[in-house]
Amino acid sequence: MPSAHEVRAMRRAIAISAQGLGSTSPNPPVGCVVLDVRGRTVGEGYHLRKGEPHAEVNALAAAGRSAEGGTAVVTLEPCNHYGRTPPCREALLAARVARVLIAVMDPTSRGAGGAAVLRQAGVEVEQDVLADEALVVLGPWLSATKTGRPHVTWVYQAALDGSPVGEGEAVRNEVAALRGAYDLVVTAGGAFDEGRPGSHGRDVFAVLRGDAVPGSPEALFAAGARSVLVAGHSPGAAALLAACLPDEVIVHVPGTAESWAPSPEAGPVGVLPDGYRVTSVAPAGNGVRVTGTRG
Ligand SMILES: [Zn+2]
C-alpha cells in the first residue's frame, strides 16, 4: 500500500503532467516525482514533447544521487523500448531506485512492459495507484491510443431546441481558455491550428503545414493528434464531426424565464445530443454551460 506521502506525490505527479497537454502528442503527458530513501521529494519532472526526455528521466536528473534507494512515483508505466530516447526502466535501474509506483499501465508497451522488467530486476513495483485520478490527464491519450482516432471535444452554442447555432462570444471565450490543452483546434472557418502554436515536436503535424489537410480522424491520428477541440458549428467542423462522434461536448444553452411555456408546435426543447449524458452544469453568462460525454 502506498503511504500518505506517496499518495500526495502521485497527485503532484498528476498535476505537473498536465503541463505536457497540448505538446507531448503523439507521446503521452506523464509526470514523475522522486522521493529519497526517507520519503522526501528530491526531484520531479514531466514530458514536454516528442524527442525530449521522458518524465522519469527529467525527475531522476533533478534528484541526482538522492534517488538511490528511493521511490519513483510516475503517472504511466515506465517505457521499455528504445525510441528517440533510451527506455525509462533503464534510467530507473541506473539510478538504483528501490520502489516504483505507477498509476496507469501503458497499453503500448512492446513485449514485456516496463513494470515487469523492473520487477525482474528486484525493484518493488506497485501499480494502479490513483489510476482514476491520473486518467483525468491521461484519459484522452489513452482512449485515442486504443481507438486509433483523436479524442474529440466539441464546443458550441445551442439554440433553445438544443441544436448548434453559429459561434458566439461564449464559445470563443471557451475555446481561448481550453485550446492550450489540445493538440489541434478546428476553427469555425474549418482550419486546423495547433492548440498552442509551435508547441509540438518538429516533425509532428508537418502534414498540416502542407496544402492537403487530413480529412479523416485516422489521418489526424497518423499525423500525431491525440486530442482535437472543435469550435462552434461550421462546415469544417461538420465534416470532422460526421466522421468522428465527439467524445465530449461543451454546450452553452440559452437561459429561459423562471416560468416559461414553450410552444408545443416549435418541437422539443433539448440540451445535449442524444446518446450523451450530463457530467457538469453551471450558470454561464445569461445561460447555462453543460458538459456531457458519450454513453
Ligand atoms: Zn519513457
Side-chain angles (χ1 to χ4, degrees), residues 14 104 130-140 142:
I14 292 167
V104 175
L130 301 189
D132 288 354
E133 293 177 52
L135 285 176
V136 172
V137 179
L138 279 166
L142 198 67

Side-chain angles (χ1 to χ4, degrees), residues 4 18 38 51-52 57 73 80 92-93 145 170 175 189 191 197 238 243 256 272 285-286:
R38 291 168 59 190
E52 297 186 10
V57 170
V73 179
N80 187 35
L92 290 161
L93 293 175
T145 300
V175 170
T256 65
L272 294 177
N286 296 321

